[in-house]
Amino acid sequence: MKNYIFTLFVICSFYINAQTVNGIKLKDIPVKYVILQVQNKGPYDINITLDYGQMNSLKDKKGFIVDENEKRIKFNSPISVINFFEKKGFLLTTKMITYTPYYSLIFENSNYKNN
């Protein structure tokens, strides 16, 4: 039983840290600030992209957050996005309203190490 619990813990730990953007793990993003572009598509359906300087436009696929299988991670609400990023070491600094149905959330990356 102990081996089963330990194995389950190891597997869950792997999946928790497997999220990437443009091939870079969220905890390894090489900048101090990032911006999330949020698009409300419906009551419980939103699209988000994360821009740390790699994107050229809002439709740029380099900003999608993907799991270990390269599948886009879906979020149900803006607060689920904020809680997700807070757990990854990002601190919400401001919300900017750009234009409907898009808005932006700016996060400070507390994982960033200034070399």
Side-chain angles (χ1 to χ4, degrees), residues 48-112:
I48 66 160
T49 54
L50 184 135
D51 185 2
Y52 59 89
Q54 86 285 9
M55 291 177 52
N56 295 320
S57 72
L58 283 178
K59 295 183 180 194
D60 196 334
K61 305 234 186 294
K62 294 177 185 174
F64 291 138
I65 300 167
V66 297
D67 63 15
E68 65 282 349
N69 297 319
E70 296 295 316
K71 293 199 182 224
R72 269 182 42 203
I73 295 176
K74 300 275 184 172
F75 295 95
N76 293 330
S77 68
I79 197 67
S80 67
V81 174
I82 292 169
N83 287 328
F84 174 83
F85 276 90
E86 187 271 334
K87 288 178 184 176
K88 299 294 180 186
F90 291 80
L91 306 170
L92 180 65
T93 60
T94 189
K95 175 186 182 257
M96 300 183 332
I97 298 174
T98 50
Y99 58 93
T100 306
Y102 291 93
Y103 59 92
S104 302
L105 301 171
I106 297 175
F107 286 87
E108 181 178 346
N109 181 1
S110 62
N111 301 310
Y112 176 67

